[in-house]
Every structure is written in C-alpha cells, then in structure tokens.
Amino acid sequence: MTGEAGTARRSQPASTDEEPRLPRQRDTETGQLRLLVAVGTDKHPFDRLVDWLAQWHAQATDEVGLTVQHGHTRAPYLPGAVPFLGHDALQQAMAEADLVVCHGGPATILEARRHGHLPIVVPRDPARGEHVDDHQLLFARRLGAAGLVALCETREALHGALTDGLADPSRYAVAADPQAHEAQRAAVARVGRIVDDLVARSTPRPLRWRARSRPRPGAKEIR
C-alpha cells in the first residue's frame, strides 16, 4: 500500500500535568499488549483503518492480543476479528484493553475515555466513501487540538502511535470514572450539539432566490 498524500500528523497525548493517568499493565498470563480496535456500526466500510492496522500488526515485534470490531469492513486476515460487539461485550473489551483505537464516533470516544483510555482516533473521511459527511473529521480534530484524543489521520501517524503504545501503554491512559453514567449521557448530548454546529457551519448555504412573477395579460407593470 502506497503512503498517504500529505504530511503525517502525529498527535501527542496530553501532558501529565493536565490530566492524571492510570498505570496499565500487560496481560499477566501472556505478556501481550491488549489492543481493542472499534470501527463502529456505520454501514460504510472503513478499509483504510483495518488495512493500516493489519500492516502494523504484521510488523510488530511483540505479541499483541487483538480484538477488532470491524463492522461492515472485511477483516478476514486479522486475529480477534468480530463484526459487532454488544454493549456489554464492548464495555468489557474496553475495560480489559491496554490501548483503544477507534473511529471518530463521539459515543465511542466518550466510552473509551470513561474506561480510562486516551483513544487513538482515526476519523472516517467522506471523501473516501467512509461516511456521509465530515462531522467525524471536524469533531476529532477539535478533540485532538484539545489533547482529548490522539488524532491519527495518516498511516504513519497511526503506526507511530501504536508503536509508542506498545512500548509504554500508560502514554495513552487517563483517569477513569466508571460511575459517571449521568455525566456521560450529558456529554453525549453536548457532543451532539457540537457536531450539529460544526456540520452546519461547514455546509455551504444554498443561494436564496425568488421567481419574478409575470404580469397578468392586460395588467399594467409597475416599475
């Protein structure tokens, strides 16, 4: 696969001065890094993310325990691949994972952070047929600028983040608050309003026009 056009943007996790982190340990029985990848349930395939992951996994020098929720994207060559996870199964996978990679879905990002992860986010790009609009790009870029996600828009950025996480999973950990259900629901509502606003501002407004009525036969036109 050829390299992506443009300059790779490798986002750095938020500093420890801004947000406390929780230590994350590898699986004590296998010594593997536990990596959860979630592309969500959108009907559009997300081949780009799955392909980038497969390329990195094939070159990883350490053992990695994968869980890949790939939705409507083909992933027959990846271990631990499953099309969909129920809510409880997804919560368990997030709780047990050392690293979480996900698409730019607001609910998935908030759930990952609720479980103590700084999610590594690859937003869907409508120009590639991965979504119907660009709200994931707009939202993920805003969160990336605020240090709330590790934004990866290129293959190089994703591979770099995964390699850093493999060496030190605590780089992508934040303070978890598993009891904050009400706060999480309120946050989802706020995210929805933010996304609506971002999409509205990014959508060109249609030109307003009014048809000029023709005078009735015999009527005198007023100038």
Side-chain angles (χ1 to χ4, degrees), residues 10-87:
R10 184 167 172 182
S11 301
Q12 296 297 325
S15 67
T16 53
D17 294 336
E18 295 175 354
E19 193 162 13
R21 297 180 183 172
L22 299 178
R24 289 195 176 275
Q25 303 295 328
R26 295 171 183 266
D27 189 306
T28 54
E29 294 183 0
T30 65
Q32 291 182 337
L33 178 90
R34 295 163 296 190
L35 173 61
L36 169 66
V37 180
V39 308
T41 59
D42 190 272
K43 65 181 181 180
H44 297 82
F46 202 2
D47 296 326
R48 184 166 54 105
L49 173 54
V50 174
D51 287 345
W52 290 354
L53 172 68
Q55 292 164 17
W56 176 84
H57 184 255
Q59 299 173 1
T61 56
D62 293 351
E63 290 292 326
V64 178
L66 283 179
T67 299
V68 184
Q69 182 271 305
H70 58 88
H72 296 281
T73 303
R74 290 176 54 85
Y77 41 82
L78 280 171
V82 58
F84 300 101
L85 290 170
H87 181 265

Side-chain angles (χ1 to χ4, degrees), residues 186-221:
V188 169
R190 289 197 300 273
V191 165
R193 291 192 293 271
I194 291 171
V195 168
D196 289 342
D197 179 59
L198 289 171
V199 172
R201 280 187 288 170
S202 67
T203 303
R205 295 185 178 182
L207 295 175
R208 294 183 178 181
W209 62 277
R210 182 173 59 186
R212 182 179 178 182
S213 60
R214 296 181 178 179
R216 296 188 303 276
K220 187 176 182 180
E221 185 177 357

Side-chain angles (χ1 to χ4, degrees), residues 97-156:
D98 299 299
L99 296 176
V100 171
V101 175
C102 64
H103 69 149
T108 307
I109 290 173
L110 288 169
E111 286 289 352
R113 288 187 58 85
R114 191 168 69 86
H115 283 281
H117 297 285
L118 180 75
I120 299 169
V121 175
V122 181
R124 291 173 177 266
D125 185 351
R128 302 172 185 269
E130 297 165 353
H131 215 315
V132 295
D133 57 42
D134 61 352
H135 81 263
Q136 285 202 7
L137 280 169
L138 296 169
F139 180 64
R141 286 170 181 171
R142 173 173 286 195
L143 293 189
L148 298 176
V149 303
L151 177 63
C152 298
E153 295 194 50
T154 66
R155 177 180 57 186
E156 292 78 12

